[in-house]
Amino acid sequence: MKIGFIGCGQMAQVLVNSFIESEIVSSSQIICSDVNHELLEETRDKCGVWITMDNSYVFENADIIFLAVKPQAFNDAVVGCKDKIRKSHLIVSIMAGVTISRIKESLPAPVVRVMPNTPCIVGHMAAGYAVGKDVTTEKQEFVVKLLSCTGIAIKVNEYDLDAVTGLSGSGPAFVAYLIQQFIDAGIKEGLSPDKARELSVMTFIGTGILIREKNIAPEKLIQMVSSPNGTTVAGREILEHSDIAQIIQDTIARASERSRELSK
């Protein structure tokens, strides 16, 4: 089994490194292609993979091909590759907004679409994926095994990938914005920037781990922290009487809507 990558950006490099470190495949089983030769050499030096600037060579020599280019670069990236498709091929796309049917027009092979997110860099990816009707169970399970090296992968219907894009694909930017507001608030209350940052970041990390590992509903955790007439209740009065709930919903809705726009 050989794995190819069309595009060697940050997300691709993280996936490549994770696959190798998990020992699912060796570096000699991975071929990477990109228009940027310096980026290719960087990937080779870091991961020990084969490199090329010829995308058709990847299709000729790999069994599973990850499409890791920007959506607007897709057409140019696969020029001349259609006649290289074999029945055994599997295409895995991490391009936002490019549908399975659109990919199959240029590359007539089974397709899996994945929406990863940047926490894959530290092994905490929250990804959604959708499979084409002609993807075998065996191939689907292998893709999930690969993705699980960097976090979790949840199967959804393809039409739900836009919602996944808005929620977890774009979500790290929204969460980072909230963390920055916590940091700024801590500084305003007299904490040093370093202390405000560490306390804010660990509060977000710890809360997420607590909810996930103990399977606690967020509403229950809110009640656990809220002592009658205490500090949390006083803060909640401000938070819950604000428009924050609607603002977050509108933020994710707009990101999801933009994903739908890109698919057209």
Side-chain angles (χ1 to χ4, degrees), residues 237-253:
E237 288 177 356
I238 301 297
L239 187 68
E240 293 170 9
H241 284 87
S242 73
D243 294 329
I244 189 169
Q246 189 62 53
I247 289 170
I248 291 174
Q249 290 174 20
D250 290 347
T251 298
I252 293 172

Side-chain angles (χ1 to χ4, degrees), residues 84-241:
K84 308 296 183 183
I85 292 293
R86 303 188 302 271
K87 291 182 178 180
S88 59
H89 268 140
L90 175 66
I91 308 299
V92 181
S93 169
I94 64 172
M95 299 182 296
V98 184
T99 64
I100 290 175
S101 61
R102 182 178 163 195
I103 293 169
K104 289 177 73 70
E105 288 175 4
S106 298
L107 303 171
V111 177
V112 175
R113 275 188 66 194
V114 181
M115 175 44 61
N117 65 1
T118 50
C120 72
I121 295 170
V122 290
H124 288 282
M125 177 181 71
Y129 72 94
V131 299
K133 295 179 180 179
D134 51 352
V135 177
T136 65
T137 300
E138 181 182 10
K139 286 183 177 178
Q140 181 182 163
E141 289 176 348
F142 187 70
V143 170
V144 172
K145 186 177 180 181
L146 288 172
L147 297 175
S148 297
C149 298
T150 57
I152 64 167
I154 297 175
K155 185 178 182 180
V156 298
N157 294 314
E158 186 179 14
Y159 59 76
D160 287 328
L161 280 178
D162 295 312
V164 172
T165 301
L167 182 63
S168 59
S170 299
F174 308 148
V175 173
Y177 180 85
L178 293 176
I179 292 174
Q180 185 61 58
Q181 304 318 303
F182 268 64
I183 294 170
D184 292 345
I187 293 171
K188 192 173 182 179
E189 290 302 314
L191 292 171
S192 69
D194 288 346
K195 291 176 181 178
R197 184 182 192 278
E198 190 69 6
L199 288 168
S200 297
V201 170
M202 285 306 298
T203 296
F204 273 76
I205 292 173
T207 302
I209 291 173
L210 180 58
I211 288 173
R212 186 168 189 262
E213 293 193 357
K214 297 298 182 181
N215 196 27
I216 297 174
E219 295 84 356
K220 183 177 180 180
L221 181 55
I222 291 170
Q223 295 304 319
M224 287 170 59
V225 182
S226 301
S227 302
N229 298 317
T231 59
T232 306
V233 171
R236 282 177 58 194
E237 288 177 356
I238 301 297
L239 187 68
E240 293 170 9
H241 284 87

